[in-house]
Amino acid sequence: MAQGWGDGLPLIPPTQERVQDFLIAGGRFPDELIAVLPPLRAECTVEKIAINAVMAGCTGDAMPLLCAAIAAMADSKFDLAGLNATTGSVVPAVIVNGPIRNRLDIPCQAGCLGGVAGPAVAIGRAIRLIMRNVAGQLIGSTSQSVYGTPGRVAGIVFGEWEERSPWTPLAERRGVPGDAVTAYGAMGTANICDVVANSADGFLDMIAKSMAYPGANGFLPSSAFAETLCVINPIWAEVIAKAYPKIEDVQAYIWDKCALPIDWFRPEYRDPIGKLGRIKPDGRVHLVPTPDDVLVMVGGGEGGLHAAMIHSWGTCLTVTRPVSAP
Amino acid sequence: MTIILDPSASLAHDIADPGPDAGALAGKKIAIRIDMLWRSWDWVSEIWAEGLRAEGAEVTFWRSCGRTGEEGVQADREYGALLERSDMAIVGLGNCGSCTSWTIADALTAAATGIPTIAVATAHFEGLAHNLAKRGGRSGLRLHILPYPLDILPKEQVHDIARNHYRSFLRNFGVRSGLAEQSAA
């Protein structure tokens, strides 16, 4: 902590021996450059990842996932420079697909968005330490986040419950089958509860309409475009898939209902929203420009009753990368 | 002996020089970078543009919109083309975290071409702007600071602020003109 390397929690000292062991287990050369990270524009090598991962309590088998996640976040489409500096309460979430979920015990069932014990906490914390120590993201200095978010301590690292999903896995739909990581600019997680609905349309109506609130990122007059993410529990997913076996139809349904009438916005908002071409002929404004911008995945416990909405930040575009074996 | 490895990274180089002065304005092509976020910056820059044109400069505005994906690639191309045909650049507005990040990034791009460049931010984000400029390798980047909060003020008040700041802005930019020199006295 005295060196400014920590997050407030105890750290494991990154001794030369521990880092060496981690590198051997991770199977990568220490000087391999993974990414250049803003705002410091610093070179993030495998060694720097290993040092921070050791401090966070990670094991070496997480190295391929860590490298892929950092590379995904450094993609220019992700706008990490803006994300790391913003006043917003955003953290890059890490969504894991493929068999690596089981190998690394990445949670995708009950408590997957936080609270379940397992290695994902240390993986997420390692990424957060990398952002702090290598990228140089420091609250009050290079980060202007007004509130921050709990996810900035141990990250948000979770998987898709592919075995219970009636649809093709998220990463595969995005062109990366098998082991994959998806980086998503998450403005926190929020709950959607429904104890009444018993039909696909009922669940989807509740999800879509809950996601459409005026202060959501996608409605900002300053955002030219945006994405949004919805995590549906396996109980609801099964019901929804009987009516909508194609995920594109689920996305289209949510997109259509996830909208607000323009007159819900005060007059001073209407002109800039109109200039973006966001007002449809029926007088509604959709949260995101197209159904493709609604990301849908399956995860969470079998208790049902809840979905999770995770709004995006700015014009940060989701990036999916393969997780390559060393 | 136990050796603890350093998890942090540091800058390899820094340019502390602010770059060339703007000098005389007559006949110069000036690019003003505005954005989608801050109407107050539209209002300030339109007042400053009037003054710059009165000094004989030709002013071109460029509005930064989406900076990711295909739209971002197109924006970078447009901005690069604008800088190629400009003699100096005024880049704003740093008035939030991400917009300050983009303001400084665009200012650093302009400064890297060798033309006189100044970034504009509001007081609350001054520290961030300096930090980002330093971490971007150019701690000497010229910066003009406007009051904060700015965007919640009415247009007439923002115009007054723009007029009040115009002389000091010219000085910060290294402009040689009667107005700037008069105010420096």
Side-chain angles (χ1 to χ4, degrees), chain A residues 69-96:
Chain A
I70 293 296
M73 291 170 198
D75 189 309
S76 64
K77 287 191 290 188
F78 197 72
D79 190 11
L80 188 64
L83 187 149
N84 273 348
T86 181
T87 49
S89 303
V90 60
V91 63
V94 174
I95 303 165
V96 184

Side-chain angles (χ1 to χ4, degrees), chain A residues 6-201:
Chain A
D7 54 12
L9 292 171
L11 298 161
I12 295 174
T15 61
Q16 197 167 34
E17 191 177 31
R18 285 187 179 123
V19 172
Q20 201 160 24
D21 289 347
F22 190 97
L23 286 165
I24 291 167
R28 307 284 283 250
F29 292 110
D31 58 351
E32 182 186 349
L33 179 64
I34 300 300
V36 174
L37 299 178
L40 198 60
R41 300 183 185 204
E43 292 189 346
C44 184
T45 60
V46 164
E47 184 185 36
K48 292 295 180 188
I49 291 175
I51 296 170
N52 283 281
V54 165
M55 289 166 65
C58 259
T59 51
D61 54 357
M63 180 61 99
L65 178 61
L66 287 169
C67 291
I70 293 296
M73 291 170 198
D75 189 309
S76 64
K77 287 191 290 188
F78 197 72
D79 190 11
L80 188 64
L83 187 149
N84 273 348
T86 181
T87 49
S89 303
V90 60
V91 63
V94 174
I95 303 165
V96 184
N97 277 106
I100 195 172
R101 286 167 309 135
N102 299 324
R103 292 200 303 275
L104 292 182
D105 194 18
I106 303 295
C108 58
Q109 303 180 24
C112 62
L113 292 180
V116 64
V121 180
I123 294 169
R125 190 184 181 209
I127 293 170
R128 298 312 308 151
L129 289 176
I130 290 164
M131 287 301 155
R132 176 184 296 271
N133 293 326
V134 182
Q137 185 197 31
L138 300 174
I139 291 281
S141 172
T142 54
S143 167
Q144 295 292 311
S145 186
V146 173
Y147 292 107
T149 174
R152 285 198 179 193
V153 180
I156 302 174
V157 178
F158 66 110
E160 182 169 23
W161 197 352
E162 297 176 12
E163 296 78 4
R164 290 295 302 273
S165 173
W167 304 294
T168 306
L170 175 72
E172 187 172 338
R173 299 198 310 265
R174 297 176 57 79
V176 185
D179 288 343
V181 63
T182 296
Y184 177 85
M187 290 281 267
T189 67
N191 197 69
I192 301 168
C193 185
D194 192 332
V195 297
V196 175
N198 59 4
S199 67
D201 288 10

Side-chain angles (χ1 to χ4, degrees), chain B residues 8-19:
Chain B
S8 64
S10 54
L11 274 173
H13 68 283
D14 180 45
I15 300 171
D17 189 291

Side-chain angles (χ1 to χ4, degrees), chain B residues 35 76 91 94 104 116 148:
Chain B
D35 55 38
D76 288 348
V91 184
I104 297 302
Y148 175 87

Side-chain angles (χ1 to χ4, degrees), chain A residues 5 14-16 39-40 42 48 51-52 55 77 79 81-82 85-87 133-134 141-142 144 222 225 276 313 315 317, chain B residues 2-9 11 36-37 66-69 71 97-98 101-102 105 108 124-125 128 131-132 135-136:
Chain A
W5 296 344
T15 61
Q16 197 167 34
L40 198 60
K48 292 295 180 188
I51 296 170
N52 283 281
M55 289 166 65
K77 287 191 290 188
D79 190 11
T86 181
T87 49
N133 293 326
V134 182
S141 172
T142 54
Q144 295 292 311
S222 55
F225 46 84
L276 290 171
W313 170 81
T315 55
L317 293 176
Chain B
T2 302
I3 299 171
I4 301 293
L5 300 181
D6 184 350
S8 64
L11 274 173
M36 287 177 70
L37 282 161
R67 300 303 292 268
T68 55
E71 193 166 326
S98 56
S101 173
W102 275 110
L108 292 174
H124 185 77
F125 298 95
L128 174 65
N131 263 322
L132 293 174
R135 288 162 190 264

